[in-house]
Amino acid sequence: MNTRTIATASFAAIAAGALLLTGCSSGAGGGSGAQGDELEGLTGEIGSKDFSEQYILAYMTAELLNAHGADVEANTKLVGSANVRQALENDQFLGYWEYTGTSWITYNGNTTPVQGAEAQFDAVKGADAENGIAWLDPAPFNNTYAFAIRKKEADELGVKTLSDVAALPSADQTFCIESEFSTRDDGWPGLKAAYGFDAPDSNVTMLDTGVIYTATQKGDDCNFGEVFQTDGRIPALDLVVMEDDKEFFPSYQGGFTLKQSTLDEYPAIADVLAELSPLLTTEVMQELNAKADVDGEDPEDIAIDWLEEQGLI
């Protein structure tokens, strides 16, 4: 999650052809349904990182801004958080959705997260303000690290929290994690220390991010898989997330970021996106992400359909 690049192989295979055909898209001059003209004159690209949730958020944002008079497009071509952030700083992107933990740790150079979602947001907002980057009010969803297990096994082991997991016999403490997580300060080394996991290295299996979900569902390689909390495969595969009862993991709350100079010129951006952000809970993002990663639907279609269902466009 250094780059929060959690692209899934299953979605990539489905979406690659569509992205090649569509490139930069998401309408122009009024979007799918005009709601006002207060953003007339606003142009540019809404960026995204390279995974389903980000594609959906970028298309949602572009469509909603266009419905209020803007003429913007969603650009889903860049790979990696660092490149997307750089594109914002270089004015290639008008803005994009970022995660508080990513900005705090990766861009602002902190190693210790701020406990509590609100406190973490306030800290990031203040730090990025010094970089000339503004955060609009965040959405409720939190795409943080988590550990999940198939529901049947969770019931049999009687585990609901990571402290419960730490209390299990070491033979039951089997984990699937990705390579990056294995070395991060906010990953496996810190987690083991915080909760006192005594699982030997032989109980830890390194897998690609997308494979972890199916491996956890099968239960052959591990009981507990490292996941991202808004991933739609969690409910689709009947997995349950263990509560981080010691609040070890940073908050990765989503919020739209843009240059402060852009916000000063078009302050109505904040008002328009304030119609969207409060609706984006963790559960909503899981459902929307599942449409892409599980059902294979196109992220742009998912975004437009949902906005129409909510009466936003």
Side-chain angles (χ1 to χ4, degrees):
M1 209 150 44
N2 183 38
T3 62
R4 301 299 289 174
T5 303
I6 54 175
T8 60
S10 59
F11 171 71
I14 296 166
L19 291 176
L20 286 172
L21 289 173
T22 59
C24 297
S25 61
S26 193
S32 298
Q35 300 289 318
D37 60 2
E38 63 267 45
L39 294 179
E40 186 174 354
L42 178 65
T43 61
E45 294 182 341
I46 304 301
S48 85
K49 306 180 191 186
D50 55 329
F51 54 95
S52 303
E53 177 168 283
Q54 284 275 308
Y55 299 151
I56 293 168
L57 290 170
Y59 286 122
M60 279 184 177
T61 303
E63 289 290 337
L64 185 57
L65 294 179
N66 286 345
H68 288 265
D71 184 2
V72 301
E73 297 179 329
N75 184 333
T76 59
K77 291 182 175 181
L78 287 192
V79 175
S81 286
N83 290 329
V84 177
R85 170 78 169 210
Q86 191 67 46
L88 173 63
E89 293 175 350
N90 293 342
D91 296 315
Q92 177 185 346
F93 287 158
L94 170 69
Y96 76 100
W97 283 79
E98 187 52 272
Y99 304 95
T100 51
T102 302
S103 181
W104 183 248
I105 294 170
T106 304
Y107 309 142
N108 287 288
N110 298 288
T111 57
T112 303
V114 177
Q115 286 196 335
E118 184 175 355
Q120 180 68 89
F121 175 79
D122 289 341
V124 168
K125 183 175 181 178
D128 268 340
E130 297 182 9
N131 303 316
I133 293 175
W135 283 73
L136 301 188
D137 288 346
F141 74 86
N142 182 10
N143 192 13
T144 189
Y145 284 122
F147 273 87
I149 184 174
R150 56 203 181 282
K151 187 177 186 305
K152 179 180 178 182
E153 191 70 13
D155 292 340
E156 291 178 0
L157 294 175
V159 290
K160 294 182 178 179
T161 70
L162 289 175
S163 290
D164 293 338
V165 176
L168 291 173
S170 59
D172 292 323
Q173 292 185 36
T174 55
F175 303 90
C176 290
I177 64 175
E178 59 175 335
S179 59
E180 182 180 321
F181 182 83
S182 70
T183 59
R184 288 178 58 92
D185 291 335
D186 59 343
W188 185 241
L191 186 73
K192 283 185 67 176
Y195 281 97
F197 292 150
D198 58 3
D201 290 343
S202 58
N203 283 25
V204 181
T205 301
M206 298 282 190
L207 296 172
D208 289 339
T209 305
V211 179
I212 290 176
Y213 293 84
T214 53
T216 304
Q217 193 270 336
K218 291 178 181 178
D220 295 331
D221 295 311
C222 57
N223 282 329
F224 302 94
E226 170 215 340
V227 299
F228 298 100
Q229 199 155 305
T230 60
D231 199 291
R233 288 165 294 185
I234 293 172
L237 295 175
D238 200 28
L239 304 178
V240 293
V241 171
M242 297 291 96
E243 178 190 349
D244 179 16
D245 51 304
K246 293 188 177 181
E247 296 187 345
F248 168 78
F249 289 124
S251 172
Y252 284 86
Q253 191 174 17
F256 189 73
T257 61
L258 71 168
K259 287 282 191 71
Q260 182 62 50
S261 56
T262 303
L263 185 59
D264 290 342
E265 186 174 359
Y266 293 96
I269 293 174
D271 298 327
V272 170
L273 291 185
E275 300 175 8
L276 170 64
S277 293
L279 305 178
L280 300 176
T281 64
T282 295
E283 292 73 23
V284 166
M285 291 313 304
Q286 282 184 346
E287 293 172 5
L288 295 173
N289 291 336
K291 291 178 183 292
D293 293 327
V294 179
D295 301 333
E297 296 183 25
D298 182 79
E300 185 173 11
D301 292 338
I302 294 167
I304 292 173
D305 290 346
W306 188 83
L307 288 174
E308 290 176 344
E309 289 172 3
Q310 303 302 313
L312 294 176
I313 61 174

